[in-house]
Each structure stands twice: as C-alpha cells, then as structure tokens.
Amino acid sequence: QVQLVESGGGLVQPGGSLRLSCLVPSLLFSGNALGWYRQAPGNQRELVARISSFGSTNYADSVKGRFTISRVNVNYTVFLQMNSLKPEDTAVYYCMGFARDSNVFAGDWGPGTQVTVSS
C-alpha cells in the first residue's frame, strides 16, 4: 500500500484561508503529477487542482483564482493554499498521484482531511 497522507483541514469562516498539506511517498513523487480532490456529502469526488511533474498547474473553474497548488520536491509534499473560502468548499479533501503525468492514478487514497467553511 502506497498511501498519501493529508493534513491541515479544519473549521474556517467564509472568506478565510487554509493550507492543506499532503505527504507523498518518495517513490510516487518524482516524475508524477499530483492533484487535490474533494468530496462533499452526496457528491462525487472531484478534481480541484493538479500540478504536473514540471510544475504546470490546472484548476477547476470553481476554485480558479482562490486556490493554489504547489509542490516541494525536497520534502515530498504537495500543498493546497485555499483563500476566500466559501461554504460550498466544505468537503473532505484528498490528494493523489498521476503516473507519469497521465490520468492513471498512482498510489492509494489516504484518509483525507475535512474542511468546513461555516460562520
């Protein structure tokens, strides 16, 4: 089992910020894209941000301009900086690898980290 482990979630008021972290097993980190998914109750898991092995990024329309994904190669960590949070951002957030920048998953789902945006 090659599991990615997320952290950094919590309760935040609308308009607030959070930074999520994901520790990626070293064998998954190099040469693979990394992404953040989220799943709200009753909804399917959706991809919100992705960063390629060479740093190119893509975002879901719903988070563009508010979320920023980054990766720190030395620490095998991928971050999701979330600003201007909205109640509809409430979900469990997961990270995942993509083999050789393809759409094929690399790794196993971790427990996720809960983000709740509420006043």
Side-chain angles (χ1 to χ4, degrees):
Q1 192 178 23
V2 185
Q3 193 176 66
L4 295 81
V5 181
E6 307 87 354
S7 62
L11 173 64
V12 63
Q13 291 188 341
S17 298
L18 279 175
R19 188 176 82 153
L20 305 184
S21 301
C22 176
L23 187 59
V24 182
S26 58
L27 64 92
L28 290 183
F29 197 89
S30 298
N32 291 336
L34 298 165
W36 282 96
Y37 282 79
R38 68 185 180 188
Q39 186 168 22
N43 290 357
Q44 289 189 334
R45 197 169 292 188
E46 62 169 344
L47 180 64
V48 296
R50 173 176 162 138
I51 184 166
S52 73
S53 60
F54 49 88
S56 174
T57 58
N58 296 97
Y59 298 93
D61 288 342
S62 58
V63 306
K64 259 180 207 174
R66 301 188 298 121
F67 289 12
T68 302
I69 188 171
S70 59
R71 57 193 292 164
V72 178
N73 294 344
V74 173
N75 295 331
Y76 304 117
T77 303
V78 58
F79 297 102
L80 186 67
Q81 178 67 43
M82 305 187 296
N83 299 329
S84 303
L85 282 161
K86 305 175 181 180
E88 51 263 43
D89 295 318
T90 295
V92 180
Y93 284 71
Y94 304 86
C95 61
M96 176 50 65
F98 299 91
R100 298 298 176 199
D101 291 340
S102 70
N103 291 324
V104 176
F105 288 155
D108 298 301
W109 294 104
T113 186
Q114 175 72 48
V115 172
T116 303
V117 185
S118 174
S119 54

